[in-house]
Amino acid sequence: MTRNLTPTTRLAALTLVLAVMALLAACSEKDIANNSNVPVPPIVIPTEDQLAVRVTGDIPTAVLSTFDDNSMGAAFVRRLSNTSGSLNPDTKMIIIKGEEILGRPMTEWLKAAKIYMRGGYIAIEKPHNAHLVEVMEQLSARFEQASHNILTEETRNGISITITPPANQQAPANAVNAEATRFMTRIANIKAKAGSSDDNENKPVAELVIFSRKGYYECAPYEETTVTAQTIENGTEQTTTETIKRKYSKYTSGLMADGAAQWLNTKSAEKASQSKRRADGSGAINELMSASEEHTYQGRLVALPWNSDDGHRYKENAYLQTIRVWGVHNMDTNKDYYYVQQKGVASIGGKQDGDARFDPNKTLYVGPYDEDEYLDAHYEYYDEDDDHTYIWRHYYGSYYRYGDFYLDLQGKGDIKLEDAIPTTDNNNTSTSIAVGETHSQTNTIGFSIGGIFGSSGSSFSLGGNYSHGWTNGTTYTMTTTTNVKEIKVAKNTEGNKVNWHYESTLDMNDASDSDEHGMQPDATTTDVNIDNQACWSVSNPEGAYTLNTYCDNHTGCYFRDDDHNEFTTGYGWYRKKSHELIIPNRAVQKWYMDVTFPELGQEGYIGVKDELTDAIMTQFPDVYKSSMELADQTDTAENTIKYVVEASEQLIQDSNALQTLKEYALDRGISQFTIKWYTTDGKHSTFDMTVKAK
């Protein structure tokens, strides 16, 4: 007997009473196969926060709001080890409710801008679009002042910086505020991702957003998730969509907060490893520099079977996707290059023991663990004639069925897809894409400003980011590891758009009529790692470019009812987004450096100046260059040179090296010296960093 229900009827009217949710932990696997329809009390999901991930880095945080215990904000705060109720000199992160953004004191906004400019974090819980716009406007208006204050008003270890504008200007010649531009772009991206419904302005666009100079994190709104379902019954596939609403608890909010905590831990680890890689300045661009933009998005996966409480099985923090973009400009050829990494992890959860086997927050794979096992599910629904119908089904478990992804670059000019990986199944692919001549004396690579100098340490290499004379990093390197054979992948291109399709190699729909069945491999029931990479070049670029991204992940479930109907049902996590990309630096500037000693007369400069200059060059080879070509957004902007000066100040803070330089100077009767950055075109300020030896 075949029942051809519409998906709408099936989804709207079904109640599914699963005995699998009522199994005793003491049952053996064979007992489950034979006695799965014996009713017992259901598994109880925890209500308390499990605190699985804590923030391990030193991030003193100002908690400026009081959060409900069940909220993600409270769960995030519980993961922090150093919190206070106010902004302090050592504060590295702020967290605040979106609804409390409006009306903050002006002095607080300047402090927040300084925290951000120093590489700290601004975290906002449940922001509406209006809240994010307020953050953007307030911080953007203060980034210039915050940057100036950090450089000029904070003397440490006898080091001070002064900025002297050109004679014909009253303020530093900074035509474009890079951080303000970046922040506005991010807010526009988040708003676009939130949708365009009429009532969207009155709804949170995210559960939590964390901004930093090196990227931002965003957790999907918890209250609603849209999923799609495909049903294959007797060879016919049908699709439906559904919006799911959930309730907050300490436990579920804690699962979401785990993702935010892990993101912060990853940022700290990346900062340390990139400092080491920059030491010789000879790697590929995407190894030497932080991405010009990074967006991490956390969401849930939904799978079958349904349970009697709310109709679905969830794993709240089951999908994490990160989009990274490196954007550079080649001055010699007038080309932009955009390298994109789309990295996703679908965590099904694996085969669990005991109560965890039926805990949807631990695993979505609830099925049997042997070929001759199945779980009985009592499926109850009303058909189109409103007749009450029951079916007993043999259930064979959820798994990662397939995923579709694409990356597409849009904008003006001649856009060309240079390369993309992975290309096909089971390849260990490694490829490099050249973006300039390594030793060309006329070639300058212009990088987007990405908060490169977020930490101190003498292993920094400024050359890895801004000047052809300081680095051999003129390629992108794309590498993927070998894909497991149980998950096949196929790539195809449509013009400049590249698509990937990942799929389990075991089609449960091909199972025989017997109770024995194929077993999904661990690769589809644990963590499925997706790593797509692509690079585009743009000849004669103009303005900003848009990256369109897509991912649609589907779990699968295999059933057989008492009439031997066979079909698979999958639920997907779907995201289609457009990212406006930061414009790379397309203007070249010629800067010079010099060391001056105000206590030396003309005669004293002979020998002593050379000795001290050589000492600085030897002690800080990453800092001192007599001349350099820097890239910036316009020929009058001063974004890049400020990063160079800031990084130089941080490097010279190394206590051992600083003491050595002071001793060099004092041995020659010099109580202070000044490192100067200047141009000869009359368009830019002069930057002086004075070091007092006494």
Side-chain angles (χ1 to χ4, degrees):
M1 181 174 60
T2 301
R3 301 173 179 84
N4 295 316
L5 298 180
T6 65
T8 302
T9 301
R10 181 179 293 111
L11 288 172
L14 84 95
T15 57
L16 180 62
V17 181
L18 282 178
V20 305
M21 305 300 294
L23 293 177
L24 291 171
C27 290
S28 68
E29 292 185 350
K30 190 58 65 177
D31 288 336
I32 293 172
N34 295 332
N35 303 298
S36 59
N37 59 343
V38 178
V40 293
I43 299 297
V44 178
I45 304 299
T47 57
E48 293 300 315
D49 190 348
Q50 304 299 292
L51 288 171
V53 181
R54 295 179 183 268
V55 176
T56 57
D58 180 24
I59 307 180
T61 301
V63 182
L64 302 183
S65 297
T66 300
F67 298 97
D68 180 85
D69 281 349
N70 291 335
S71 69
M72 184 176 178
F76 184 58
V77 172
R78 284 194 288 269
R79 281 153 176 77
L80 303 171
S81 60
N82 187 349
T83 61
S84 67
S86 60
L87 293 170
N88 302 315
D90 65 340
T91 298
K92 295 182 181 179
M93 182 164 64
I94 295 170
I95 179 169
I96 187 173
K97 285 182 178 178
E99 63 188 31
E100 297 181 7
I101 287 292
L102 303 178
R104 307 300 299 188
M106 294 298 102
T107 54
E108 190 174 270
W109 284 114
L110 180 58
K111 292 179 181 178
K114 286 184 178 181
I115 291 170
Y116 178 90
M117 293 296 288
R118 288 195 183 102
Y121 305 92
I122 309 295
I124 309 162
E125 192 224 29
K126 296 184 77 66
H128 297 193
N129 181 64
H131 305 148
L132 295 180
V133 170
E134 176 74 2
V135 173
M136 172 193 70
E137 292 177 347
Q138 295 291 350
L139 291 182
S140 296
R142 290 163 178 81
F143 280 146
E144 186 64 32
Q145 181 184 355
S147 175
H148 190 270
N149 289 358
I150 290 171
L151 283 175
T152 61
E153 296 180 4
E154 299 180 8
T155 300
R156 286 168 289 181
N157 292 331
I159 300 174
S160 62
I161 296 173
T162 58
I163 304 175
T164 305
N168 61 342
Q169 297 190 35
Q170 298 300 314
N174 189 17
V176 180
N177 187 322
E179 293 302 335
T181 301
R182 176 181 305 281
F183 221 88
M184 287 186 285
T185 300
R186 288 175 173 176
I187 301 301
N189 285 337
I190 293 174
K191 180 180 180 181
K193 294 162 198 163
S196 57
S197 61
D198 293 338
D199 62 348
N200 196 62
E201 290 292 328
N202 298 318
K203 292 183 177 180
V205 297
E207 200 63 39
L208 182 73
V209 176
I210 308 176
F211 292 108
S212 78
R213 287 170 75 177
K214 288 189 175 183
Y216 66 102
Y217 165 90
E218 177 185 358
C219 182
Y222 180 56
E223 294 177 333
E224 294 185 358
T225 293
T226 300
V227 295
T228 61
Q230 282 83 30
T231 301
I232 302 175
E233 189 167 354
N234 297 329
T236 301
E237 181 170 323
Q238 296 174 311
T239 303
T240 186
T241 61
E242 187 175 1
T243 298
I244 304 166
K245 294 185 178 182
R246 294 285 280 169
K247 296 180 180 179
Y248 290 92
S249 73
K250 288 183 179 180
Y251 180 57
T252 54
S253 291
L255 291 172
M256 294 187 292
D258 282 343
Q262 185 58 52
W263 182 81
L264 285 175
N265 292 340
T266 301
K267 291 283 97 183
S268 298
E270 287 176 353
K271 183 183 295 184
S273 63
Q274 285 182 343
S275 295
K276 295 178 181 178
R277 289 199 301 269
R278 293 193 192 105
D280 61 4
S282 61
I285 285 172
N286 50 306
E287 295 174 344
L288 288 171
M289 62 179 284
S290 301
S292 52
E293 187 64 314
E294 177 180 295
H295 167 230
T296 298
Y297 196 93
Q298 178 187 353
R300 70 185 65 163
L301 287 179
V302 183
L304 295 181
W306 289 276
N307 63 48
S308 58
D309 293 331
D310 49 35
H312 297 86
R313 295 181 60 82
Y314 305 85
K315 196 161 183 277
E316 295 294 350
N317 55 350
Y319 192 77
L320 192 68
Q321 176 167 278
T322 299
I323 301 292
R324 295 186 179 95
V325 183
W326 286 257
V328 302
H329 183 74
N330 188 311
M331 305 293 180
D332 194 39
T333 61
N334 192 27
K335 284 186 177 182
D336 278 359
Y337 287 84
Y338 297 95
Y339 163 56
V340 178
Q341 181 184 46
Q342 180 186 39
K343 187 173 182 62
V345 180
S347 299
I348 304 299
K351 299 173 182 178
Q352 303 285 342
D353 295 324
D355 291 350
R357 180 172 180 175
F358 306 108
D359 182 348
N361 289 300
K362 297 289 178 57
T363 182
L364 297 178
Y365 182 80
V366 201
Y369 296 168
D370 287 328
E371 291 181 349
D372 60 351
E373 272 193 356
Y374 56 85
L375 303 177
D376 274 347
H378 193 191
Y379 182 74
E380 178 183 6
Y381 65 91
Y382 292 87
D383 62 20
E384 292 175 333
D385 297 326
D386 204 29
D387 292 330
H388 201 196
T389 305
Y390 295 89
I391 296 177
W392 278 101
R393 284 179 176 162
H394 299 333
Y395 170 62
Y396 300 102
S398 301
Y399 59 97
Y400 186 85
R401 184 184 172 203
Y402 72 86
D404 287 306
F405 303 82
Y406 73 64
L407 297 172
D408 184 25
L409 189 70
Q410 296 289 330
K412 298 179 179 179
D414 182 13
I415 302 176
K416 177 186 176 184
L417 178 64
E418 295 285 346
D419 205 348
I421 58 174
T423 57
T424 187
D425 296 339
N426 304 318
N427 275 356
N428 190 332
T429 307
S430 179
T431 184
S432 295
I433 300 172
V435 300
E437 296 297 327
T438 301
H439 299 294
S440 169
Q441 293 304 302
T442 60
N443 178 53
T444 300
I445 302 299
F447 291 87
S448 301
I449 302 299
I452 306 301
F453 310 114
S455 67
S456 60
S458 58
S459 61
F460 263 25
S461 172
L462 305 184
N465 301 286
Y466 298 115
S467 172
H468 76 274
W470 298 4
T471 183
N472 293 330
T474 57
T475 60
Y476 291 122
T477 297
M478 297 194 291
T479 303
T480 59
T481 56
T482 302
N483 294 311
V484 293
K485 62 182 180 180
E486 292 86 0
I487 300 176
K488 56 186 177 181
V489 56
K491 184 198 79 171
N492 66 77
T493 58
E494 304 171 12
N496 294 316
K497 180 181 177 181
V498 56
N499 301 270
W500 290 271
H501 179 79
Y502 292 80
E503 188 171 359
S504 169
T505 56
L506 177 61
D507 186 356
M508 297 295 287
N509 222 28
D510 294 337
S512 67
D513 287 341
S514 70
D515 285 335
E516 290 197 2
H517 50 85
M519 292 297 298
Q520 283 292 330
D522 290 344
T524 66
T525 62
T526 51
D527 287 346
V528 179
N529 290 280
I530 308 296
D531 191 357
N532 302 321
Q533 300 170 53
C535 179
W536 294 265
S537 64
V538 184
S539 299
N540 304 313
E542 180 182 349
Y545 288 82
T546 299
L547 174 70
N548 297 315
T549 68
Y550 176 87
C551 72
D552 189 8
N553 293 281
H554 286 250
T555 59
C557 298
Y558 178 66
F559 292 91
R560 181 178 295 118
D561 66 25
D562 51 7
D563 292 314
H564 298 291
N565 290 335
E566 299 168 8
F567 55 89
T568 304
T569 303
Y571 268 79
W573 189 82
Y574 165 84
R575 298 299 298 178
K576 182 178 181 181
K577 299 186 179 183
S578 294
H579 306 257
E580 182 180 343
L581 302 183
I582 303 298
I583 298 175
N585 296 323
R586 296 171 182 159
V588 63
Q589 301 171 359
K590 183 79 170 184
W591 285 82
Y592 301 91
M593 293 181 69
D594 191 18
V595 183
T596 61
F597 306 90
E599 295 165 305
L600 292 177
Q602 189 65 33
E603 297 79 9
Y605 267 66
I606 301 174
V608 176
K609 177 182 171 68
D610 291 340
E611 288 179 6
L612 289 173
T613 301
D614 287 343
I616 293 174
M617 294 176 64
T618 300
Q619 196 70 36
F620 299 101
D622 292 338
V623 172
Y624 190 89
K625 299 291 177 182
S626 59
S627 65
M628 68 193 87
E629 287 181 322
L630 301 182
D632 214 318
Q633 294 181 348
T634 69
D635 61 354
T636 57
E638 293 181 354
N639 297 305
T640 304
I641 188 61
K642 286 184 177 180
Y643 284 110
V644 173
V645 175
E646 180 185 347
S648 300
E649 188 267 347
Q650 290 179 5
L651 289 171
I652 291 182
Q653 290 293 330
D654 181 274
S655 58
N656 293 327
L658 180 60
Q659 186 60 35
T660 300
L661 287 182
K662 289 181 176 181
E663 290 174 358
Y664 285 157
L666 291 173
D667 288 346
R668 290 158 178 80
I670 305 299
S671 63
Q672 71 178 43
F673 58 89
T674 299
I675 302 176
K676 178 181 295 186
W677 292 264
Y678 64 96
T679 65
T680 59
D681 58 14
K683 298 178 181 179
H684 297 90
S685 304
T686 298
F687 295 80
D688 294 332
M689 183 169 69
T690 300
V691 180
K692 293 183 178 181
K694 288 187 178 180

